[in-house]
Amino acid sequence: MKTSAVFSTFLSLLSLASAASSARDSSTSTTLPATFKPPQVFKNLNLVHVISAEKNYLKESINVLIENIDKAPQDEYFLPFTADQMSRLGGVEVKDRKDATAGLFVAEPVEFDQESDIQYLRIRLPKPLAPGAQQTLGINYYLLKAYSPLPVAIKQEEQQYLTFTFSAYCPSAYTTTKQKTDVKFPSSNIPDYTKLPGSGDIQEFPQKQGSKLTYGPFDEKPAGAVEPVRVRFEFNKPVNHVSRLERDIEVSHWGGNVAFEERYTLYHRGANLSSLFNRVKWQQSQYYQPTTFALKEIKFPLRVGSVDAYYYDVIGNVSTSRFRSNKREALLEIKPRYPVFGGWKYPFTIGWNSDAKNFLRNTATGGFVLNVPFLEGPRQLEGVEYEQVEVRVILPEGAENVKYHTSIPTSSITEAGVQIHKTFLDTIGRTALVIKARNLVDDFRDRELIVSYDYPFMASFRKPLVVFGSAIAVFMSVWAVGNVKLDFETKK
Amino acid sequence: MSADPLHALASAGKAKSTRSVLRVVILALIAGAAIASRLFSVIRFESIIHEFDPWFNFRATKYLVAHGFYKFWDWFDDRTWHPLGRVTGGTLYPGLMVTSGVIYHALRALTIPVDIRNICVLLAPGFSGLTAIAAYLLTNEMTTSNSAGLLAAAFMGIAPGYISRSVAGSYDNEAIAIFLLVFTFYLWIKALKQGSMLWGALCALFYGYMVASWGGYAFITCLLPLHAFVLICMGRYSTRLYVSYTTWYALGTLASMQIPFVGFLPVKTSEHMPALGIFGFLQLLAFLDYVRSAIPSRQFQTFLWVFAGGSFGLGLAALAIATSAGFIAPWSGRFYSLWDTGYAKIHIPIIASVSEHQPTAWPAFFFDLNMLIWLFPVGVYLCFQELADQHVFIVVYALFGSYFAGVMVRLMLTLTPVVCVAAAIAVSTLLDIYLTAKSPKPVEGQPADGGDGAAKKAVKSGLKSTSKPLIGVYGLYSKVAIVGALTVYLLLFVLHCTWVTSNAYSSPSVVLASRLPDGSQHIIDDYREAYQWLRQNTREDAKIMSWWDYGYQIGGMADRPTLVDNNTWNNTHIATVGKAMSSREEVSYPIMRQHEVDYVLVVFGGLLGYSGDDINKFLWMVRIAEGIWPDEVSERAFFTPRGEYRVDGDATETMKNSLMYKMSYYNYNKLFPPGQAMDRMRGVRLPEVGPSLSTIEEAFTSENWIIRIYKVKDLDNLGRDHASAAAFDRGHKKKKATKKRGPRLLRVD
């Protein structure tokens, strides 16, 4: 079968992944001296910086043509970020624009001086770039918590405007010959943006085309040149921010079931209400003007075959949810108990079950391979960002030799390890693979997580035997106690 | 006879082991039925804690589970009764929480991951299964008939009078207390019958558990001495009574004093004095018994009268003196209201405002006990027939239980066990009489034989009465008729119980259910919507003012400090809230500021026609406030001159200006076309111009307007009073001081 072929290739990848992870651990521990400056060995010949503010996180992509101006071959390209940006940076993926087969490059933050405001991301080119040679890098990354509302507080029927600051010149550690910056917005309503004097035949930057602003092209700028630009744009949608997502995936071989449970801590980072919530206005606006910046509904398109969805929060079941599950889709639509406005919080829990055969395969060698989505958060028009994600794959009791591979950018994964999780009459506890990641967005919601493990045949009989044995022991001891004669025998 | 299958059945049940297996199976089934019939609300809604008080018990249990027993014991809760706080560990009955905690930890030790909430929700049904078994044991002590015990267990399992307080989710002290009550009585009877110290000690142990669980333990504390006293009066003093009573009293009192909330009450309050008195009396009797065996009977007579009379008089005098001197607390108000049902309404409106403290209406007996209520006297009568010591107990219990159940609705609960036991005795006696397949053998020499005349003569020559010594019902038709009727009654009883449980006692009252036009269920979840909003979107120490009914729920679901809650220990504090609710804004605002109130929560049923709202409870707030501040709050001012309680355009000015009225109807008229605003609960049209608020502002209103939350405004930035600040914001001209200006003067400092 085709799927099994795919799985076996993944298996071979898995061993690579585990090897790579150990190698990465050793590399990140090497800290550079505090006085570190990236060596000026590259030159950016042409750079296009695309900033997309269409969703409630910033998606940036830098396409840059670099040239080695040093005498020796070079394989380390540095990208500068401010310390604040570094903490909000996530989902970094670097690839060669010209060569799709080269795969993803290793990109990781460089630890040198915690106090310094400039931090670097180090991109390792798979092949050292020969002197004078050129390469086109496509760098994609996301910035979370990117906006702040302006005005900070608005009325509940007003439009929400967000603002953020960036540099019109793409921050770079190298001299850039030619560059431009495109900024995309969700709508053409962009009331304020910083204007810069133009160059060449353009009178004034930026140029506005519909919902897009273009700064540039600029001529040569030295390394580290910045030109702060501030934009303010309409974003009449909720600014969803999940500060923590805990996702449990529990595999049961006996039940033939994979159970999912996700616990969200959801915030709305948009504008606060200037006057408190008014139910009359809210009910009226439901009819007259349905678009609002409040979060009214969250939709989770689950994998086909998901059943038994549930939705509750800290004080019990929430009845305002709908779950449609059929052959084509499994859509869970939930409504928060109250419309979530800016500055409000709404933590909740959802969960569902699915047949194990949708996710679990046997391998030829007798092991098992589990292929589940790493993230299955909501699919919202306005996007969702995740600050902390903890995925826990709970394997059956006695599972061993656990390996994993995920297509989530490796720089986003902060921690991974195998723990023991005890539940439901376990004796030695279940093997749980815990993967912690940070700064993810809903663009990654279909990236997969592949876990391979061995599950000895006898391990599956541990629990029935233990339960049976202890029940027998209880009966035997009751019988033994019942046979003890406490009273003195009266002689007849 | 024609009952061959019956014979077969009876003979199958004759072997001892078969019978006991059958009995165990039947008991297990009864316990299962008792549990299952209490799960309506879980199946219909969800596993949720019901009503009001259980939310506190749930919160306390969570605290116990999270912080351990000793922290729980020392728990000072600063999130209730702001700013006073509550010494929770010392003012609650910990039995319920500790029981759940023990179950929780036991399951955890077996690595069964059960949510503490589910344990709390299912505790009451679980214990009701045990209650059924306890009722079986108790009844078996009363009668030799085996079926009586099983019937009593079945009755106990499904009687609505008990179900009302033990459905899944009603996590209240009564959930375990009724089991303990019945089981303690069983142990008492056992101890009394055998004169056994072991059973007496067990009785004391369970009595201690009962004291730790429910304030209703006083019922046992009074009933056992009363039983003993009646036995003594009947001249049935025996060493068995002496041993069992003194064992129970000594150990039980010590056990009860271990509970901080009870402490020294057993030796200090009047409610506990009968037990102490009987204890002393028994000592005297034992002494007299000894003396009687030692001295001649003539001298003994005089000795007896002098000694007994003297000591009784002395004891009574000592009690009176100790009471008046304050060593022994006099009867509490709640206790007086047991004797005079009108007492509470006049003196302590807070007790009268609770619906379960009202006197019972007659239909309630039939509603809660159905056919048991008319079988009950029969059972008591049958007890009179035998009148051994244990039957006296049933008689005494029946009398007292009936009285108290008539006085207070909630005490129906204590009556239910004895009703079940007595009714089971009655039914089983009936069944035993009418179900015996046996008929007496026709006496030899009956005319039917047609034997020889001499023998016939010899028989006939005796007295008629001696010739027919066998009395009984042997006709097949009468048997079938009676048994059939009883069966129908029993089946109807089951139907009634199921119906009552399903319709009357299985609503969580936190969640309301309605039907959509297509017949599907629609959940109205306004309470939790608002509580969740409070929990997530207000400061963690934001103080919430609401009427005391919602205090426990706010503490449990919204996790916010409250001013008053359902533990109504401080009448003045409640009256303060009542005053704030029933006064004008200008009066209420300083009160709220002084109590650091951040939010005010009211329940409003006008949109949905929800009857349990604050406007309907409002008069109690007024009455309780009037009890403390008769000069400032007057109930009369809330009634129209014609004596009506109105909320529409004809409402009195006091009513319209009261904070409660304003908060309930603020902005409500904007939901309707002009002049069309309707209060669907009270079915009246509201004035076109709604009330305006100046010192508080609307913060949240739930989807169906059941919960409305207001934020108390901070002091005005410009130092104006709120009324003029609000008027300014509305665009009204500031009222010029009407005082005429005098001639301008040069200011000389």
Tab-separated table of all heavy atoms in Angstrom, chain A residues 171-174 222-226:
chain	number	residue	atom	x	y	z
A	171	PRO	N	15.852	44.970	8.358
A	171	PRO	CA	17.029	44.852	9.221
A	171	PRO	C	17.935	43.739	8.701
A	171	PRO	O	17.476	42.635	8.421
A	171	PRO	CB	16.455	44.492	10.583
A	171	PRO	CG	15.009	44.787	10.482
A	171	PRO	CD	14.629	44.651	9.055
A	172	SER	N	19.186	44.077	8.532
A	172	SER	CA	20.095	43.064	8.015
A	172	SER	C	21.474	43.292	8.622
A	172	SER	O	21.844	44.410	8.968
A	172	SER	CB	20.177	43.161	6.494
A	172	SER	OG	21.089	42.223	6.005
A	173	ALA	N	22.207	42.230	8.740
A	173	ALA	CA	23.561	42.329	9.282
A	173	ALA	C	24.569	42.653	8.180
A	173	ALA	O	25.772	42.750	8.447
A	173	ALA	CB	23.932	41.023	9.966
A	174	TYR	N	24.069	42.788	6.960
A	174	TYR	CA	24.973	42.992	5.836
A	174	TYR	C	24.513	44.193	5.010
A	174	TYR	O	23.358	44.627	5.127
A	174	TYR	CB	24.995	41.746	4.943
A	174	TYR	CG	25.251	40.483	5.721
A	174	TYR	CD1	24.222	39.621	6.041
A	174	TYR	CD2	26.536	40.190	6.174
A	174	TYR	CE1	24.453	38.490	6.777
A	174	TYR	CE2	26.766	39.048	6.909
A	174	TYR	CZ	25.728	38.190	7.215
A	174	TYR	OH	25.955	37.078	7.945
A	222	PRO	N	23.558	50.629	4.489
A	222	PRO	CA	24.592	49.880	5.220
A	222	PRO	C	23.968	48.837	6.150
A	222	PRO	O	22.771	48.829	6.375
A	222	PRO	CB	25.294	50.973	6.023
A	222	PRO	CG	24.285	52.041	6.172
A	222	PRO	CD	23.435	52.010	4.936
A	223	ALA	N	24.797	47.998	6.667
A	223	ALA	CA	24.330	46.974	7.612
A	223	ALA	C	23.735	47.650	8.831
A	223	ALA	O	24.282	48.623	9.343
A	223	ALA	CB	25.489	46.076	8.021
A	224	GLY	N	22.610	47.149	9.269
A	224	GLY	CA	21.995	47.672	10.486
A	224	GLY	C	21.177	48.923	10.290
A	224	GLY	O	20.694	49.504	11.270
A	225	ALA	N	20.956	49.365	9.055
A	225	ALA	CA	20.169	50.571	8.846
A	225	ALA	C	18.698	50.288	9.142
A	225	ALA	O	18.168	49.252	8.753
A	225	ALA	CB	20.327	51.039	7.404
A	226	VAL	N	18.060	51.197	9.868
A	226	VAL	CA	16.629	51.045	10.146
A	226	VAL	C	15.923	52.360	9.868
A	226	VAL	O	16.526	53.437	9.948
A	226	VAL	CB	16.349	50.619	11.608
A	226	VAL	CG1	16.691	49.164	11.812
A	226	VAL	CG2	17.078	51.498	12.574
